[in-house]
Amino acid sequence: MLPHRADVVVIGGGVVGVSTAFYLAEAGVDVLLLERDELGAGSTSKAAGGVRAQFSDPVNIELGQRSLRAFEDFARRPGGEIDLKQHGYLFLLSDHADVAAFERGVRLQNEFGVPSRMLTVREACELSPYVVPDGLRAAAFSPTDGHCTPEAVVQGYAQGARHHGALLRRNCPVTGIEVSRGEITAVHTDFGSVETSTVVCAAGAWSAAVGEFAGVELPVRPLRRQILVTEPVPDLPPRLPFTIDFGTSFYFHDEGPGLLIGMSDPDEEFGFRLNTDDRWLGRLADAVARRAPRLADIGVAHGWAGLYEMTPDHNALIGEAAGPSRFLYATGFSGHGFLQGPAIGEVMRDLVLGRRPVVDVSGLDARRFAGAEVRPEHNCV
């Protein structure tokens, strides 16, 4: 059953949606969250689980840093075990331009209190012993970055939201948003309609369609990314950092007794495909052989595919539409939605309540693409 009315309807039950529902409900707002599938079933459950503050843009640094603090405090608020491992993020750099960009990024991150630093190639190989130094020029590392379990984060926020009175409805697809005289009046679903004046779109890769319901253009496109998990790895280092060969985007981190391995595919086309295939494996095998050859003979246990929600500049869309009134959005994170989810929930709470947000996200308004003030995020994987 759906309620007749809700003060705020959040569309999307991934980490951004449930985080937003939690912080709004905690603030005393009457919240209804609608998820077309199971909570976290979209991009969140397919994420690699990395959490970091090593970015090139000040807003992303602040969102990452604030979210890291929330992950560290998760057992207390909202509550729950998320298996947070702060073994650091290690970016391996083989290009002069990337080294210069990361040096600038580290200086900026340090200004915000992020304990990142540049490393020599030898130091990087000592931290991540599977790495070979051939072709590397430097590395960047922050010890407080790491990874945790996305599904556990979703369930923790969901339980916290319910504890504070929020209603979360699964398997309830939104079919339309009713607008009258420039104001939202209702959200329609397969199971009936709910009167509301405020909608938060947190629908991830499906956000463009939700925006169309209200006549709001959200330039978000889905892009498939594939991930593998290996069989158990003998003598797995106890504090292996999340290691990224930045030039190729090949990355790995510990996952139980094995390793989680991923890499972008430059030939991938936009779309909602979620099947796995072998087309990318040749390029991945080449990257593994070149950067971490000891991993080349480790067997694959299983794998999956998920969707990045891409924007033209690889930065999120966060804000409130010019019209209709009270249509807010938090989407298009281009691979950074899980790690920024806690801070985004706080930001959306503040925007809904008319407060100054805990992080100034005005530069992430979707209308930025109409002008010339677009600044791509450099530290993308």
Side-chain angles (χ1 to χ4, degrees):
M1 291 288 294
L2 292 174
H4 174 70
R5 174 174 176 78
D7 289 345
V8 178
V9 174
V10 177
I11 301 175
V15 65
V16 172
V18 294
S19 171
T20 297
F22 168 73
Y23 287 110
L24 281 170
E26 185 186 52
V29 178
D30 171 34
V31 183
L32 170 67
L33 181 146
L34 301 174
E35 162 56 42
R36 69 191 190 104
D37 201 331
E38 296 293 332
L39 296 179
S43 297
T44 299
S45 65
K46 312 299 193 305
V51 293
R52 62 179 167 110
Q54 286 186 85
F55 287 96
S56 65
D57 187 282
V59 178
N60 288 328
I61 295 170
E62 285 193 84
L63 291 171
Q65 180 79 324
R66 190 172 186 91
S67 292
L68 276 172
R69 297 190 185 112
F71 287 127
E72 291 169 347
D73 192 41
F74 203 90
R76 183 187 67 84
R77 177 182 182 232
E81 173 55 53
I82 60 173
D83 195 26
L84 176 64
K85 295 182 179 179
Q86 289 178 287
H87 298 168
Y89 252 68
L90 177 68
F91 286 93
L92 307 171
L93 309 172
S94 54
D95 180 84
H96 280 301
D98 287 335
V99 172
F102 271 83
E103 287 174 342
R104 291 191 297 270
V106 165
R107 287 194 294 270
L108 183 60
Q109 294 154 21
N110 293 166
E111 292 177 11
F112 285 93
V114 178
S116 55
R117 62 185 188 271
M118 299 298 296
L119 300 181
T120 65
V121 173
R122 179 178 177 180
E123 289 172 326
C125 293
E126 289 174 351
L127 276 175
S128 189
Y130 297 117
V131 171
V132 295
D134 302 357
L136 292 180
R137 301 183 184 278
F141 177 72
S142 184
T144 55
D145 294 345
H147 59 90
C148 57
T149 303
E151 296 90 339
V153 172
V154 167
Q155 292 305 319
Y157 275 129
Q159 292 173 14
R162 293 188 184 102
H163 174 76
H164 289 289
L167 294 177
L168 282 62
R169 293 293 180 259
R170 301 166 296 151
N171 302 302
C172 187
V174 171
T175 58
I177 297 174
E178 188 170 322
V179 178
S180 177
R181 298 179 181 178
E183 296 183 353
I184 293 171
T185 57
V187 172
H188 303 304
T189 79
D190 283 344
F191 298 95
S193 300
V194 179
E195 293 181 3
T196 190
S197 60
T198 304
V199 166
V200 175
C201 173
W206 297 266
S207 293
V210 174
E212 288 177 2
F213 289 150
V216 176
E217 182 180 359
L218 296 174
V220 176
R221 293 193 289 179
L223 186 69
R224 182 180 64 165
R225 293 289 294 265
Q226 297 189 66
I227 287 175
L228 301 176
V229 175
T230 73
E231 294 175 344
V233 178
D235 301 320
L236 192 66
R239 292 189 58 83
L240 183 71
F242 194 130
T243 303
I244 302 169
D245 186 40
F246 191 69
T248 63
S249 81
F250 158 54
Y251 64 83
F252 58 89
H253 69 68
D254 60 301
E255 184 78 1
L259 292 172
L260 182 149
I261 295 177
M263 182 175 166
S264 65
D265 180 356
D267 297 327
E268 187 69 43
E269 297 180 353
F270 291 107
F272 286 96
R273 294 177 301 280
L274 283 172
N275 62 300
T276 58
D277 59 42
D278 296 337
R279 187 189 67 185
W280 70 304
L281 292 180
R283 187 179 282 113
L284 174 63
D286 290 343
V288 172
R290 183 168 57 252
R291 185 56 59 215
R294 287 170 54 195
L295 302 180
D297 295 328
I298 303 296
V300 174
H302 60 93
W304 65 84
L307 297 174
Y308 271 24
E309 45 188 280
M310 303 300 295
T311 65
D313 64 357
H314 298 171
N315 275 311
L317 308 177
I318 306 171
E320 181 171 354
S325 65
R326 305 309 285 162
F327 181 92
L328 299 95
Y329 51 85
T331 184
F333 290 92
S334 304
H336 307 139
F338 173 66
L339 69 91
Q340 295 183 348
I344 296 302
E346 293 183 285
V347 166
M348 298 314 295
R349 171 202 62 201
D350 295 342
L351 291 177
V352 167
L353 295 176
R355 303 174 180 172
R356 174 183 289 184
V358 292
V359 176
D360 181 4
V361 294
S362 56
L364 299 179
D365 191 289
R367 286 166 286 188
R368 67 182 181 271
F369 297 109
E373 296 299 317
V374 176
R375 54 190 191 200
E377 170 58 47
H378 180 266
N379 298 5
C380 292
V381 181

